[in-house]
Amino acid sequence: MNTYQHDWHTSEGYDGGLHHCRKCKRSHQGPRLEAHDCPVSDAEHHAVAWLGHAGLYRTRFDAVRNFEQSVTPVSVDELFELASKQILSQINEGCQRG
C-alpha cells in the first residue's frame, strides 16, 4: 500500500491541537504528525472524475457500483482534454457522414 503525506488542518489549538486530515479524515490529538502514512494521494483527493474500463464516472463509488476493477483519478485538466477529444471525434464523425 502506498502512503502519502497528510493534509492536516487544526481545529483546536490547545494541548498541541486537534488535527484533521482533509484527505483521509483521520484525526489526531497532540503534536502534528509528520509521518507519510495517509492512504489517500493528492490525485485521488483532487479528482473531479474517475476513469474506468467502461467509461468515466462522477465518483469512485459510482465506478465500484458498476463493478469496475480498476479506476484512475481524473484531474480538471485531464477531464477537459478528454472532453475536447470526444467533441473532436464527434465532429469528425459528423463530417465523414455528410
Side-chain angles (χ1 to χ4, degrees):
M1 175 185 212
N2 292 333
T3 56
Y4 307 94
Q5 190 168 1
H6 287 285
D7 183 13
W8 295 114
H9 73 280
T10 304
S11 63
E12 299 173 15
Y14 61 90
D15 293 333
L18 180 58
H19 310 286
H20 307 278
C21 178
R22 290 182 180 96
K23 297 189 303 185
C24 71
K25 308 302 183 210
R26 177 180 173 184
S27 294
H28 172 73
Q29 177 73 40
R32 184 175 287 188
L33 298 175
E34 295 301 324
H36 298 288
D37 62 349
C38 185
V40 180
S41 73
D42 289 339
E44 290 175 277
H45 180 62
H46 295 293
V48 294
W50 295 87
L51 184 61
H53 182 71
L56 201 58
Y57 298 92
R58 195 170 215 192
T59 66
R60 182 180 230 164
F61 178 73
D62 290 340
V64 171
R65 198 170 50 191
N66 198 44
F67 305 107
E68 288 285 356
Q69 298 296 312
S70 177
V71 291
T72 304
V74 178
S75 70
V76 171
D77 293 337
E78 292 168 327
L79 185 61
F80 181 78
E81 187 175 322
L82 287 169
S84 297
K85 286 179 182 178
Q86 180 69 27
I87 290 169
L88 286 174
S89 174
Q90 289 174 347
I91 290 172
N92 289 336
E93 187 177 297
C95 289
Q96 291 174 356
R97 286 185 189 167

